[in-house]
Amino acid sequence: MKIVALAGGVGGAKLADGLAQILPPEDLTVVVNTGDDFEHLGLTICPDLDTVCYTLAGLANPETGWGRAAETFHVLENIARLGGEGWFKLGDKDLATHIERTRRLRSGESLSQITRDFCRAWGVRQVVLPMSDEPVRTIVDTVEYGELPFQEYFVHRKCEPRVKGFRFAGVESAKPAPGVLEAIGQAQAILICPSNPWVSIDPILAVLEPSAICHRPSAIRHQPSATVAVSPIIGGRTVKGPAAKMYAELGITPSALAVARHYGSRLTHFVLDKVDQMQAAEVENMGIQTLVTNTIMRTPEDRRRLAQDVLNFISPL
Ligand code: FO1
C-alpha cells in the first residue's frame, strides 16, 4: 500500500519510522514541514527535515528526538564564548549537515535535490521530500511580542508567549516540491502524522491545497482513497511540544476531537488514543471513521505497532 505521510518534527518522525519498519521503502513518501526552517549563524537550518531523515537513518538523538545521537557541541560552545548566539543547540555532527546544505543551496541546488542526496548518504531508502523548494517561514503572532519567527518563539522564548495566530510567509508563491503531487496521486492513503496541527501540518496543507488533497471533485485526479490523521493530543495534552497550549490560547479546548475538527472534511479516518475513546462517537458523527488504540510511541516497537494499527485500519480500502 503506497502511503504519503505528512510530518513535522519528532512525533511525525516517530510514526514515519514505524511505517518504514513495515512498508517496502518504495511505498513510503514522507512530505515534511519546512515552515520552521530558518537562517541562523549564516546557515540554513531545516529542523523537521533533519529530524525525519536522522530518525529514518537511525542517527537521531534518542533523548531529544531532534539532533544527532552521541553529539558534541564544541563549535557552539566556542561561538558562545566569542559572544555569538548559542541558544539554538546545533551539535558538531549536525552542523556538518547545515554547512553542506547551505553551500549547495547557495550554488543553486534545490532543497529537494540536496535532501535526496543526503538521504542516500545516510542510507535512508524511503523518499523524503520537503513540502516545497521555495522558502516558507512560519510566523507566530503573540500577545506579548507581536509576530515572532517560529524558532524565536519555539526555542528562544520556549513557547512561553501566548499565541494569537499564525501565518506562513512565502506560501503564496511556494509550489509543492517536485515529486509531492506525483506521490499523492499514486498513494492509497495520506497519513497526517501526530505532529502539531497549527505549525507542523497546516504549513504543508497550505502549500498543497487546493490542488492536492482536498476532497472536492476538481481534485479527484489527485484524491487518495483515504486521508487519515493520528491525534497528537492525548487526554487534553501533548506528549511533546505546545499544540495543546496553542489550542487553549486560541480559545479551543485541546482534545482529540478538536484535532479532528481542525482537519475537518479532509479526513476519512481518524485515530485517537484509548484515553479519549469517549470522543470517538462525536468524530464518527462528522462522517469520519475512527480507530481507538494506544498512540503513545515510547519505543521503536510502539512506533511499529501504531503504524501497523493505522495500516490495518485503512487497509480494507
Ligand atoms: N529544539 C529545542 O527545543 N531546542 C534546541 O536548541 C533545538 C535545536 C535544534 C537543532 C537542530 C534541529 O534539527 C532541531 C533542533 N530543535 C531544538 C528542535 C526544533 O527546533 C523543533 O523541534 C522543531 O522545529 C519543531 O518541530
mmCIF file of all heavy atoms in Angstrom, residues 204-235:
data_model
loop_
_atom_site.group_PDB
_atom_site.id
_atom_site.type_symbol
_atom_site.label_atom_id
_atom_site.label_comp_id
_atom_site.label_asym_id
_atom_site.label_seq_id
_atom_site.Cartn_x
_atom_site.Cartn_y
_atom_site.Cartn_z
ATOM 1 N N ILE A 204 2.097 22.575 5.624
ATOM 2 C CA ILE A 204 2.122 21.629 4.493
ATOM 3 C C ILE A 204 0.807 21.719 3.731
ATOM 4 O O ILE A 204 0.790 21.808 2.491
ATOM 5 C CB ILE A 204 2.355 20.169 4.973
ATOM 6 C CG1 ILE A 204 3.589 20.053 5.864
ATOM 7 C CG2 ILE A 204 2.443 19.229 3.760
ATOM 8 C CD1 ILE A 204 3.838 18.638 6.409
ATOM 9 N N LEU A 205 -0.298 21.718 4.467
ATOM 10 C CA LEU A 205 -1.608 21.796 3.800
ATOM 11 C C LEU A 205 -1.735 23.109 3.027
ATOM 12 O O LEU A 205 -2.313 23.134 1.935
ATOM 13 C CB LEU A 205 -2.739 21.669 4.833
ATOM 14 C CG LEU A 205 -2.800 20.330 5.583
ATOM 15 C CD1 LEU A 205 -3.907 20.359 6.637
ATOM 16 C CD2 LEU A 205 -3.010 19.161 4.616
ATOM 17 N N ALA A 206 -1.169 24.178 3.592
ATOM 18 C CA ALA A 206 -1.254 25.478 2.915
ATOM 19 C C ALA A 206 -0.527 25.448 1.575
ATOM 20 O O ALA A 206 -0.940 26.105 0.621
ATOM 21 C CB ALA A 206 -0.675 26.572 3.816
ATOM 22 N N VAL A 207 0.545 24.664 1.506
ATOM 23 C CA VAL A 207 1.275 24.542 0.230
ATOM 24 C C VAL A 207 0.524 23.610 -0.722
ATOM 25 O O VAL A 207 0.434 23.873 -1.923
ATOM 26 C CB VAL A 207 2.713 24.024 0.467
ATOM 27 C CG1 VAL A 207 3.392 23.679 -0.852
ATOM 28 C CG2 VAL A 207 3.545 25.058 1.213
ATOM 29 N N LEU A 208 -0.037 22.533 -0.177
ATOM 30 C CA LEU A 208 -0.654 21.508 -1.043
ATOM 31 C C LEU A 208 -2.023 21.907 -1.565
ATOM 32 O O LEU A 208 -2.414 21.522 -2.656
ATOM 33 C CB LEU A 208 -0.814 20.194 -0.276
ATOM 34 C CG LEU A 208 0.454 19.473 0.131
ATOM 35 C CD1 LEU A 208 0.101 18.154 0.786
ATOM 36 C CD2 LEU A 208 1.338 19.228 -1.079
ATOM 37 N N GLU A 209 -2.775 22.610 -0.770
ATOM 38 C CA GLU A 209 -4.151 22.884 -1.161
ATOM 39 C C GLU A 209 -4.208 24.131 -2.002
ATOM 40 O O GLU A 209 -3.398 25.027 -1.831
ATOM 41 C CB GLU A 209 -5.027 23.034 0.088
ATOM 42 C CG GLU A 209 -5.221 21.709 0.774
ATOM 43 C CD GLU A 209 -5.923 21.819 2.110
ATOM 44 O OE1 GLU A 209 -6.042 22.948 2.620
ATOM 45 O OE2 GLU A 209 -6.312 20.789 2.635
ATOM 46 N N PRO A 210 -5.117 24.244 -2.903
ATOM 47 C CA PRO A 210 -6.237 23.333 -3.083
ATOM 48 C C PRO A 210 -5.953 22.207 -4.073
ATOM 49 O O PRO A 210 -6.818 21.370 -4.318
ATOM 50 C CB PRO A 210 -7.308 24.248 -3.660
ATOM 51 C CG PRO A 210 -6.533 25.232 -4.468
ATOM 52 C CD PRO A 210 -5.224 25.416 -3.758
ATOM 53 N N SER A 211 -4.707 22.148 -4.585
ATOM 54 C CA SER A 211 -4.523 21.260 -5.734
ATOM 55 C C SER A 211 -4.480 19.782 -5.372
ATOM 56 O O SER A 211 -4.790 18.942 -6.186
ATOM 57 C CB SER A 211 -3.221 21.627 -6.449
ATOM 58 O OG SER A 211 -2.166 21.561 -5.534
ATOM 59 N N ALA A 212 -4.099 19.443 -4.139
ATOM 60 C CA ALA A 212 -3.732 18.057 -3.910
ATOM 61 C C ALA A 212 -4.738 17.207 -3.149
ATOM 62 O O ALA A 212 -5.241 16.235 -3.681
ATOM 63 C CB ALA A 212 -2.395 18.014 -3.191
ATOM 64 N N ILE A 213 -5.068 17.588 -1.923
ATOM 65 C CA ILE A 213 -5.765 16.581 -1.116
ATOM 66 C C ILE A 213 -7.122 17.023 -0.603
ATOM 67 O O ILE A 213 -7.704 16.353 0.216
ATOM 68 C CB ILE A 213 -4.908 16.114 0.070
ATOM 69 C CG1 ILE A 213 -4.556 17.271 0.988
ATOM 70 C CG2 ILE A 213 -3.698 15.365 -0.389
ATOM 71 C CD1 ILE A 213 -3.978 16.820 2.309
ATOM 72 N N CYS A 214 -7.622 18.149 -1.071
ATOM 73 C CA CYS A 214 -8.961 18.465 -0.603
ATOM 74 C C CYS A 214 -9.945 17.573 -1.357
ATOM 75 O O CYS A 214 -9.756 17.274 -2.528
ATOM 76 C CB CYS A 214 -9.286 19.940 -0.787
ATOM 77 S SG CYS A 214 -9.161 20.505 -2.445
ATOM 78 N N HIS A 215 -10.973 17.151 -0.642
ATOM 79 C CA HIS A 215 -11.897 16.176 -1.218
ATOM 80 C C HIS A 215 -12.973 16.907 -2.009
ATOM 81 O O HIS A 215 -14.112 17.014 -1.597
ATOM 82 C CB HIS A 215 -12.467 15.303 -0.111
ATOM 83 C CG HIS A 215 -11.443 14.340 0.379
ATOM 84 N ND1 HIS A 215 -11.460 13.009 0.088
ATOM 85 C CD2 HIS A 215 -10.309 14.541 1.078
ATOM 86 C CE1 HIS A 215 -10.404 12.427 0.616
ATOM 87 N NE2 HIS A 215 -9.701 13.340 1.227
ATOM 88 N N ARG A 216 -12.579 17.448 -3.121
ATOM 89 C CA ARG A 216 -13.532 18.135 -3.986
ATOM 90 C C ARG A 216 -13.422 17.519 -5.370
ATOM 91 O O ARG A 216 -12.356 17.059 -5.762
ATOM 92 C CB ARG A 216 -13.179 19.625 -4.063
ATOM 93 C CG ARG A 216 -13.473 20.374 -2.786
ATOM 94 C CD ARG A 216 -13.723 21.840 -3.080
ATOM 95 N NE ARG A 216 -12.586 22.468 -3.717
ATOM 96 C CZ ARG A 216 -11.713 23.244 -3.085
ATOM 97 N NH1 ARG A 216 -11.853 23.464 -1.811
ATOM 98 N NH2 ARG A 216 -10.719 23.802 -3.726
ATOM 99 N N PRO A 217 -14.500 17.528 -6.138
ATOM 100 C CA PRO A 217 -14.463 16.884 -7.448
ATOM 101 C C PRO A 217 -13.318 17.384 -8.321
ATOM 102 O O PRO A 217 -12.684 16.631 -9.033
ATOM 103 C CB PRO A 217 -15.817 17.249 -8.054
ATOM 104 C CG PRO A 217 -16.689 17.542 -6.889
ATOM 105 C CD PRO A 217 -15.812 18.070 -5.806
ATOM 106 N N SER A 218 -12.971 18.688 -8.209
ATOM 107 C CA SER A 218 -11.918 19.243 -9.064
ATOM 108 C C SER A 218 -10.562 18.595 -8.768
ATOM 109 O O SER A 218 -9.673 18.609 -9.606
ATOM 110 C CB SER A 218 -11.817 20.743 -8.859
ATOM 111 O OG SER A 218 -11.495 21.002 -7.527
ATOM 112 N N ALA A 219 -10.416 18.054 -7.556
ATOM 113 C CA ALA A 219 -9.123 17.471 -7.171
ATOM 114 C C ALA A 219 -9.143 15.960 -7.285
ATOM 115 O O ALA A 219 -8.220 15.287 -6.840
ATOM 116 C CB ALA A 219 -8.775 17.885 -5.745
ATOM 117 N N ILE A 220 -10.201 15.421 -7.906
ATOM 118 C CA ILE A 220 -10.421 13.982 -7.854
ATOM 119 C C ILE A 220 -9.239 13.187 -8.426
ATOM 120 O O ILE A 220 -8.927 12.101 -7.964
ATOM 121 C CB ILE A 220 -11.754 13.620 -8.564
ATOM 122 C CG1 ILE A 220 -12.344 12.342 -7.968
ATOM 123 C CG2 ILE A 220 -11.627 13.478 -10.065
ATOM 124 C CD1 ILE A 220 -13.463 12.600 -7.023
ATOM 125 N N ARG A 221 -8.578 13.783 -9.398
ATOM 126 C CA ARG A 221 -7.467 13.082 -10.028
ATOM 127 C C ARG A 221 -6.363 12.762 -9.018
ATOM 128 O O ARG A 221 -5.685 11.767 -9.104
ATOM 129 C CB ARG A 221 -6.895 13.944 -11.152
ATOM 130 C CG ARG A 221 -6.586 13.207 -12.418
ATOM 131 C CD ARG A 221 -6.522 14.144 -13.604
ATOM 132 N NE ARG A 221 -5.971 15.451 -13.285
ATOM 133 C CZ ARG A 221 -4.692 15.751 -13.336
ATOM 134 N NH1 ARG A 221 -3.817 14.839 -13.683
ATOM 135 N NH2 ARG A 221 -4.284 16.961 -13.069
ATOM 136 N N HIS A 222 -6.193 13.677 -8.063
ATOM 137 C CA HIS A 222 -5.119 13.507 -7.085
ATOM 138 C C HIS A 222 -5.624 12.903 -5.781
ATOM 139 O O HIS A 222 -4.878 12.729 -4.848
ATOM 140 C CB HIS A 222 -4.480 14.858 -6.762
ATOM 141 C CG HIS A 222 -3.742 15.430 -7.920
ATOM 142 N ND1 HIS A 222 -2.679 14.807 -8.497
ATOM 143 C CD2 HIS A 222 -3.931 16.575 -8.609
ATOM 144 C CE1 HIS A 222 -2.234 15.547 -9.496
ATOM 145 N NE2 HIS A 222 -2.981 16.609 -9.587
ATOM 146 N N GLN A 223 -6.934 12.641 -5.727
ATOM 147 C CA GLN A 223 -7.503 12.281 -4.439
ATOM 148 C C GLN A 223 -7.130 10.852 -4.042
ATOM 149 O O GLN A 223 -7.420 9.911 -4.773
ATOM 150 C CB GLN A 223 -9.012 12.407 -4.505
ATOM 151 C CG GLN A 223 -9.666 12.233 -3.159
ATOM 152 C CD GLN A 223 -11.164 12.411 -3.278
ATOM 153 O OE1 GLN A 223 -11.629 13.292 -3.981
ATOM 154 N NE2 GLN A 223 -11.896 11.559 -2.614
ATOM 155 N N PRO A 224 -6.478 10.686 -2.909
ATOM 156 C CA PRO A 224 -6.184 9.326 -2.466
ATOM 157 C C PRO A 224 -7.456 8.705 -1.906
ATOM 158 O O PRO A 224 -8.437 9.389 -1.657
ATOM 159 C CB PRO A 224 -5.159 9.542 -1.369
ATOM 160 C CG PRO A 224 -5.467 10.881 -0.824
ATOM 161 C CD PRO A 224 -6.049 11.697 -1.944
ATOM 162 N N SER A 225 -7.437 7.409 -1.687
ATOM 163 C CA SER A 225 -8.630 6.727 -1.187
ATOM 164 C C SER A 225 -8.949 7.138 0.239
ATOM 165 O O SER A 225 -10.091 7.177 0.628
ATOM 166 C CB SER A 225 -8.415 5.219 -1.216
ATOM 167 O OG SER A 225 -7.988 4.843 -2.486
ATOM 168 N N ALA A 226 -7.921 7.424 1.021
ATOM 169 C CA ALA A 226 -8.174 7.748 2.424
ATOM 170 C C ALA A 226 -7.249 8.871 2.865
ATOM 171 O O ALA A 226 -6.116 8.971 2.397
ATOM 172 C CB ALA A 226 -7.913 6.518 3.289
ATOM 173 N N THR A 227 -7.750 9.707 3.737
ATOM 174 C CA THR A 227 -6.890 10.655 4.440
ATOM 175 C C THR A 227 -7.122 10.406 5.920
ATOM 176 O O THR A 227 -8.233 10.584 6.435
ATOM 177 C CB THR A 227 -7.214 12.114 4.059
ATOM 178 O OG1 THR A 227 -7.033 12.264 2.647
ATOM 179 C CG2 THR A 227 -6.293 13.082 4.784
ATOM 180 N N VAL A 228 -6.083 9.941 6.582
ATOM 181 C CA VAL A 228 -6.191 9.535 7.988
ATOM 182 C C VAL A 228 -5.255 10.401 8.820
ATOM 183 O O VAL A 228 -4.125 10.668 8.408
ATOM 184 C CB VAL A 228 -5.874 8.021 8.157
ATOM 185 C CG1 VAL A 228 -4.530 7.642 7.566
ATOM 186 C CG2 VAL A 228 -5.951 7.592 9.616
ATOM 187 N N ALA A 229 -5.743 10.866 9.962
ATOM 188 C CA ALA A 229 -4.887 11.629 10.882
ATOM 189 C C ALA A 229 -4.794 10.878 12.208
ATOM 190 O O ALA A 229 -5.751 10.229 12.636
ATOM 191 C CB ALA A 229 -5.472 13.021 11.126
ATOM 192 N N VAL A 230 -3.631 10.982 12.827
ATOM 193 C CA VAL A 230 -3.436 10.450 14.182
ATOM 194 C C VAL A 230 -3.362 11.650 15.121
ATOM 195 O O VAL A 230 -2.563 12.571 14.897
ATOM 196 C CB VAL A 230 -2.144 9.609 14.275
ATOM 197 C CG1 VAL A 230 -1.941 9.093 15.698
ATOM 198 C CG2 VAL A 230 -2.178 8.459 13.277
ATOM 199 N N SER A 231 -4.189 11.634 16.161
ATOM 200 C CA SER A 231 -4.231 12.790 17.065
ATOM 201 C C SER A 231 -2.929 12.941 17.856
ATOM 202 O O SER A 231 -2.488 11.982 18.491
ATOM 203 C CB SER A 231 -5.383 12.649 18.048
ATOM 204 O OG SER A 231 -5.344 13.741 18.955
ATOM 205 N N PRO A 232 -2.342 14.145 17.852
ATOM 206 C CA PRO A 232 -1.186 14.379 18.721
ATOM 207 C C PRO A 232 -1.639 14.760 20.133
ATOM 208 O O PRO A 232 -0.806 14.896 21.026
ATOM 209 C CB PRO A 232 -0.490 15.572 18.049
ATOM 210 C CG PRO A 232 -1.607 16.340 17.418
ATOM 211 C CD PRO A 232 -2.669 15.330 17.032
ATOM 212 N N ILE A 233 -2.941 14.956 20.313
ATOM 213 C CA ILE A 233 -3.449 15.341 21.635
ATOM 214 C C ILE A 233 -4.061 14.115 22.297
ATOM 215 O O ILE A 233 -4.927 13.447 21.730
ATOM 216 C CB ILE A 233 -4.458 16.497 21.520
ATOM 217 C CG1 ILE A 233 -3.750 17.675 20.833
ATOM 218 C CG2 ILE A 233 -5.035 16.851 22.882
ATOM 219 C CD1 ILE A 233 -4.007 19.035 21.332
ATOM 220 N N ILE A 234 -3.549 13.819 23.460
ATOM 221 C CA ILE A 234 -3.946 12.615 24.210
ATOM 222 C C ILE A 234 -4.353 13.077 25.605
ATOM 223 O O ILE A 234 -3.530 13.667 26.324
ATOM 224 C CB ILE A 234 -2.762 11.617 24.292
ATOM 225 C CG1 ILE A 234 -2.297 11.237 22.881
ATOM 226 C CG2 ILE A 234 -3.137 10.395 25.113
ATOM 227 C CD1 ILE A 234 -1.002 10.431 22.850
ATOM 228 N N GLY A 235 -5.606 12.835 25.962
ATOM 229 C CA GLY A 235 -6.070 13.275 27.285
ATOM 230 C C GLY A 235 -5.907 14.777 27.475
ATOM 231 O O GLY A 235 -5.576 15.230 28.573
#
